[in-house]
Structure formats: structure tokens, C-alpha cells
Amino acid sequence: MRIPWVRRSPGLAVDLGTANTVVFRRGDGVVLFEPSVVAVDERTGRVHAVGDEARRMLGRTPATITASRPLRHGVISDFETTEQMLRHFIRKAGAGRLRGDVMVCVPSGLTQVERTAVVDATVAAGARAARLIDEPLAAAIGAGLPVGEAQGSLVVDIGGGTSEMAVTALGGMVVSTSLRVGGYDFDEAIVRSLQQHQQLLVGQEQAEAVKIEVGSTLAGAIDETELADIAGRDLTSGLLRRTSISAGQVREAIARPLQQVVEALRELLERTPEELSADLATRGVALVGGGSLLRGFDGLLERETGLPVERDRDPLTTVARGAGAALHR
Ligand code: ADP
Ligand code: MG
């Protein structure tokens, strides 16, 4: 027999990312990891599929169903869909049944109205209470930084649509930056390079696969002659054609968006109060987010800032784990 009043309130933490939504359940760890994609039936306006199932539909849906990512660059471009997606994931992870507290980790670019709407959607999805936490703070906690202490910690989170960076101290963010450049921009840069040099038009998902296969940020991080196969449409003939792209070409293609990340970090360091800068020199930078999985990302940031950089052991779930740890606070 279950004795409900003896059970601890379950408690969920949701990382609502532009690329992926990650749900952490107290006591169980990460219980859900799915792309932030929703497929909507245009005729009825109803949500047809969410997450993994909806992602399989991206770009190959019948005319009446559109699959899209409701979060763009960390801001919610389509609120109603985001709300439904959030509801779906929370229910799937079990909060609807369990009626626990839910901590939602939101991109720092959200307006007050959007924040209130996220809280409302979470409660409507079955949560007993909803709290919000800023993404960089959750990232810092997840990376094991001493955010509650008087010393400064620096976290860099490379997501799909944004790169969030913050210096934390005494449980808050002292300085922060949200740059609208992330993993998707690396994919787009690869698409453009293939257009320009091979006269080939490829989809963004394919460019992402190439990035994961042979992408790198620094010369020497991978054998530059290594090739990745790719298929697309020939720009002149319009026919399907196969070709390959080298690791070197990929590195050159993504150099520009990477440079923007580096510049944003340098600028953040300039704005960091001097007392905290000294802490950063010894403690270094915690690197998280799926985009940071690019080969040599830590080395690039080390070279460009002079600070030691350590990538989290599982950078795709750092934020959710950090928000989960914050549930106890
Ligand atoms: P968000 O917080 O915006 O949802 P994530 O932290 O989930 O983003 O990271 C998603 C990004 O990570 C995508 O752009 C994806 O292409 C990228 N990514 C995932 N795995 C790798 C990898 N092995 N190498 C390079 N990039 C990766
Ligand atoms: Mg994220």
C-alpha cells in the first residue's frame, strides 16, 4: 500500500533549452532528454507530436503538419506552443500525477510576462508550485561551482541558440551576457560554406551531423584532412549530389561565430570586478552546454582568455542537474 503523506514531494527540475529539454527528478536524476520540437496540425491547431517524435518530422512533414522549434535564440517565439511542449514534458516526467514542486530553468532573455506565463503553464501541467531559476546560475550549480560563497565563479554555457556566460558570487549573478550565437550558428556557417565552395545546398540537420563528426575549434584538435560525407541539392543542376567536406573546411567555416563567443567572453571579463577576477584566475572557467562538445572548445577559450577551462563531464545535462540541486534550497 502506498502511504502518500509519507512520501517526499517528488520535485522536478526542467531545463527548457532552445535545442533540448532536460528533466531531472529528485531521487531519480535525469529522467527525460528530448529535443525542444513540436509538431502542430495546421488544420486543427492541435499539437500532433512533441520531442523525439516531432523531431523526426522536422523538414519532412505532410503539408498539414508543421514541426518547429518554439524557442529561438533563447527567447520564446511561439508562446502557446512552448506552453504545450512544457506541459507535455512535465506530464511525461510524472509531475502531473505526483503533484510536486517544479523548478524551471529559463533563458535569461525572457520578459516578465513570459516568465509569468512559464509559471502558469507549469502549474497548469500539474505542478503544485513552480519556481524559476536563471540558466547561468543553474549551470554554475550543476558544474559544482561554489556559487553560494563570496568568491567569483565563471560559467560559460554554449547552447543551440544562445551562449550564456556569467560570473557568480554569493548565490547571484554579478555580471552576465546572453549572446545570440550558439550551436545552430555553427551549423548555419557549415551550410553557407558548402553553398559557397561546393555549390551544394544541404539541410541544417545534415550540417549539424557534419559538425559533430569532424567539427573542431582549433587547428590540431582533429586530423584536418578527415572527411565527412554529405548529400544535398546541386545549386546549378537542382539534382541530388553527394560530396564530402574536410575537417579543415569545417573549422574555417565556423571560425566566425566562434570568434563572437570569444569576444563576448573577453568583454564579460572586462566588466568583472577586480576582486572577483583574481578568483577566476585560480578557479578558471566551467564550460557547459552541448555546443561545448565541439573538439578543442576548452583549449580555444584557454588560449584566448589565459584562464584554465574545464568542461563539465556531461555538458548537455549540467543545467538540469544544477536546477535539480537548487530544488533543495
Ligand atoms: P540548449 O540549451 O539551447 O537546448 P544544448 O545544451 O542542449 O542546447 O546543446 C545543443 C547544441 O549542442 C546543438 O547545437 C548541438 O548541435 C550541439 N551538440 C551536441 N552534441 C555535440 C557534439 N558532439 N559536438 C558538437 N556540438 C554538439
Ligand atoms: Mg541550455
Side-chain angles (χ1 to χ4, degrees):
M1 197 183 79
R2 255 178 58 198
I3 312 169
W5 56 88
V6 176
R7 284 169 64 107
R8 272 193 79 187
S9 131
L12 289 187
V14 183
D15 169 16
L16 192 59
T18 52
N20 299 297
T21 298
V22 188
V23 182
F24 176 99
R25 190 162 58 208
R26 181 155 54 200
D28 298 318
V30 173
V31 292
L32 183 145
F33 185 105
E34 292 196 39
S36 305
V37 178
V38 179
V40 178
D41 190 327
E42 296 281 296
R43 289 168 307 183
T44 60
R46 292 182 53 179
V47 170
H48 189 79
V50 178
D52 286 323
E53 200 189 337
R55 185 184 188 163
R56 287 193 283 272
M57 297 179 164
L58 266 180
R60 52 172 89 90
T61 53
T64 57
I65 294 175
T66 49
S68 66
R69 297 184 177 274
L71 287 108
R72 284 264 139 210
H73 292 301
V75 286
I76 295 178
S77 58
D78 176 349
F79 205 85
E80 216 170 291
T81 314
T82 304
E83 220 176 280
Q84 297 203 49
M85 182 176 81
L86 187 58
R87 200 166 292 169
H88 173 93
F89 286 140
I90 290 176
R91 290 219 172 114
K92 195 168 175 185
R97 267 182 296 119
L98 303 169
R99 297 212 54 83
D101 295 342
V102 179
M103 177 80 81
V104 187
C105 178
V106 289
S108 47
L110 251 59
T111 65
Q112 196 50 50
V113 173
E114 287 174 332
R115 283 171 184 262
T116 308
V118 168
V119 169
D120 291 349
T122 308
V123 171
R128 187 176 56 192
R131 279 188 290 160
L132 301 185
I133 181 168
D134 279 312
E135 200 224 283
L137 209 53
I141 296 169
L145 300 178
V147 288
E149 289 167 29
Q151 52 179 305
S153 298
L154 175 54
V155 64
V156 175
D157 179 354
I158 315 293
T162 53
S163 294
E164 309 251 350
M165 311 169 188
V167 175
T168 65
L170 292 169
M173 294 191 287
V174 182
V175 282
S176 67
T177 300
S178 179
L179 178 74
R180 293 187 168 200
V181 173
Y184 293 152
D185 299 276
F186 307 151
D187 306 341
E188 268 165 32
I190 294 170
V191 170
R192 280 196 302 271
S193 175
L194 280 158
Q195 261 177 36
Q196 208 181 332
H197 301 289
Q198 275 96 326
Q199 279 73 47
L200 197 75
L201 189 63
V202 302
Q204 200 161 342
E205 302 258 306
Q206 280 221 56
E208 182 183 26
V210 163
K211 173 185 73 178
I212 292 173
E213 205 182 326
V214 297
S216 67
T217 63
L218 279 174
I222 183 174
D223 174 1
E224 302 253 308
T225 59
E226 198 172 311
L227 297 175
D229 291 327
I230 191 151
R233 205 158 283 285
D234 188 289
L235 281 175
T236 38
S237 72
L239 299 174
L240 204 64
R241 178 160 63 83
R242 299 200 141 269
T243 183
S244 55
I245 180 167
S246 71
Q249 186 183 339
V250 172
R251 182 172 59 77
E252 273 167 31
I254 64 178
R256 249 191 76 198
L258 274 171
Q259 192 53 33
Q260 289 177 288
V261 173
V262 166
E263 272 158 27
L265 180 56
R266 282 215 193 107
E267 186 265 344
L268 182 76
L269 288 169
E270 276 165 24
R271 280 195 286 128
T272 302
E274 224 159 278
E275 319 76 79
L276 298 179
S277 299
D279 297 337
L280 303 184
T282 49
R283 297 210 54 98
V285 182
L287 184 59
V288 310
S292 75
L293 286 166
L294 210 52
R295 290 171 192 80
F297 217 128
D298 43 358
L300 174 77
L301 297 187
E302 272 181 6
R303 191 188 71 185
E304 299 292 323
T305 63
L307 299 173
V309 177
E310 192 175 343
R311 188 171 60 202
D312 193 46
R313 62 181 164 87
D314 182 14
L316 283 158
T317 63
T318 317
V319 169
R321 286 184 281 111
L327 274 168
H328 297 278
R329 291 166 192 232

